[in-house]
Amino acid sequence: MRLLRPDLINWSLAVPILVAFWALGVGYVRASRRRSPIAARFAPLSRRSTPTRSAAVVVCGVVASAGLVFAVVRPQALLAARVPDYERQDVVFVLDRSASMRAHDVQPSRFLRATAELRNFLRNKPDTIDRIGLVGFADASVVLSYLTGDIDSVAFYLDWIDEDPTALLGTNVGAALRSAREVAQRDDRQTRKLFFLISDGEDYGAELDAALATFRAEDRRVHCIGIGSDDEVPIPLRQPDGQEVFLRDDAGRAVMTKFDESTLRRIAATTGGRYLRSTTGGELARAIADVVRGERKIVGWRTSTEYRDLYRAGLVAAAAAGAALCLLL
């Protein structure tokens, strides 16, 4: 137990002073009754103070004043608890940058919503996450950031790919997973590596089967988060002037895209990961956090101590005693 305001402890003198005044009052009442007794026939009309009521008054007064003093000195109790130590984790995000991710069925677009939610996760990442890696892919993949604890650096690359006007056609998920594995392989720390694939599900590459076989053999899980609605929507292309036009085929027809979860479900099932669906983008950061919590492993226990404020108990006791005192007086 400790007091945050021990300099105010002198206010506790109010309690014996209050008791002294109560004793003086009781003595005065008794003396007055001896000097001026009430006739027996008028006793029922007189409100006389009984010893029980008088004792109740002083008890309520003492409790109210002591409770206020207790709250003023701000006492704190030292509490100890056993808390788990979790295995340290690193996260590698594999982000689809293909043209179909620019579709507007999720506002402001599938891709911009995904990067916004990734920033939200980075700002509120769990304590067990040490470092973040980032891989971007379309027909080819590129490691944007190897594992780093510098969150601002990862956020910089997210900002950069947000503003990149290049239309990236094609989708090769297998190549992206190979790059994500390279990020993990180049790290010499013995931390748990979590892989998150964020995509609308399209895949036109021929490397996925080989990548999945490697991940499964190495017991690496890939958690997949699909982003997109069930509607067919056109694929916008950003022009140098900032305007958008729709991608068209050789016949001049607008090329449409539709979310396809079959590939993502297959990746998650093959590697032992989880598949989650985000139809608005708003669930993405929460889904990532849920998976991270589910992947935590306890490696030990430690004793944690903290001080807990107790002044609220004093205020509650003072309020209750004060209310009772008002009823007695």
Side-chain angles (χ1 to χ4, degrees):
M1 175 79 76
R2 68 176 182 182
L3 304 179
L4 293 183
R5 295 299 305 274
D7 55 305
L8 300 177
I9 194 66
N10 290 338
W11 281 100
S12 60
L13 296 175
V15 176
I17 293 174
L18 180 65
V19 173
F21 275 112
W22 169 82
L24 290 174
V26 170
Y28 175 78
V29 169
R30 288 178 178 175
S32 298
R33 287 174 179 171
R34 285 195 299 268
R35 290 194 302 267
S36 304
I38 299 175
R41 66 178 181 278
F42 295 122
L45 302 177
S46 175
R47 180 183 179 184
R48 300 175 62 86
S49 297
T50 65
T52 301
R53 180 173 174 275
S54 182
V57 168
V58 72
V59 169
C60 290
V62 168
V63 171
S65 58
L68 290 176
V69 174
F70 184 81
V72 165
V73 297
R74 293 292 302 277
Q76 291 185 324
L78 181 62
L79 302 179
R82 291 186 72 226
V83 295
D85 273 330
Y86 292 102
E87 179 183 30
R88 309 309 298 174
Q89 299 169 310
D90 295 324
V91 174
V92 180
F93 289 111
V94 185
L95 181 60
D96 190 348
R97 297 183 59 202
S98 61
S100 61
M101 285 288 287
R102 299 288 179 174
H104 297 301
D105 55 337
V106 173
Q107 295 299 319
S109 72
R110 296 173 181 175
F111 185 76
L112 293 179
R113 185 67 188 193
T115 55
E117 290 298 312
L118 285 180
R119 291 188 193 89
N120 184 29
F121 173 79
L122 294 178
R123 285 192 296 267
N124 303 283
K125 72 179 182 67
D127 293 336
T128 56
I129 299 296
D130 281 342
R131 296 170 299 163
I132 303 293
L134 181 62
V135 174
F137 74 97
D139 185 54
S141 64
V142 60
V143 177
L144 298 169
S145 174
Y146 284 94
L147 290 171
T148 177
D150 185 357
I151 301 304
D152 290 336
S153 173
V154 180
F156 167 80
Y157 285 110
L158 290 174
D159 292 340
W160 177 70
I161 59 179
D162 271 354
E163 299 301 324
D164 183 12
T166 307
L168 302 175
L169 303 179
T171 310
N172 189 341
V173 178
L177 293 180
R178 190 175 65 248
S179 295
R181 179 177 175 271
E182 176 190 344
V183 171
Q185 290 289 98
R186 289 188 55 171
D187 183 57
D188 57 359
R189 295 191 196 177
Q190 297 302 312
T191 53
R192 188 174 185 74
K193 305 298 190 291
L194 305 181
F195 299 89
F196 286 90
L197 172 63
I198 303 171
S199 173
D200 57 11
E202 293 183 344
D203 179 37
Y204 302 108
E207 305 174 47
L208 182 57
D209 289 340
L212 291 181
T214 301
F215 270 74
R216 185 170 183 176
E218 296 177 353
D219 195 24
R220 300 183 188 272
R221 298 179 181 178
V222 180
H223 305 284
C224 300
I225 300 180
I227 183 167
S229 70
D230 293 323
D231 300 327
E232 276 197 344
V233 290
I235 299 175
L237 300 176
R238 189 187 303 177
Q239 301 298 296
D241 60 0
Q243 300 297 314
E244 288 186 346
V245 297
F246 293 130
L247 177 65
R248 299 185 180 275
D249 59 19
D250 294 337
R253 295 184 296 260
V255 177
M256 308 296 285
T257 180
K258 184 178 180 180
F259 174 75
D260 181 7
E261 65 181 11
S262 59
T263 300
L264 301 177
R265 284 188 176 276
R266 177 187 166 210
I267 294 171
T270 302
T271 62
R274 292 176 58 186
Y275 167 73
L276 302 108
R277 173 79 183 276
S278 177
T279 56
T280 65
E283 315 95 330
L284 199 148
R286 185 169 59 254
I288 296 172
D290 288 344
V291 172
V292 169
R293 283 193 295 269
E295 288 284 338
R296 294 184 304 181
K297 287 188 176 181
I298 297 176
V299 295
W301 294 84
R302 58 186 171 85
T303 300
S304 174
T305 58
E306 64 173 347
Y307 283 97
R308 186 72 57 83
D309 280 321
L310 302 177
Y311 72 90
R312 294 182 182 85
L315 292 178
V316 170
L325 188 61
C326 289
L327 295 176
L328 292 170
L329 295 179

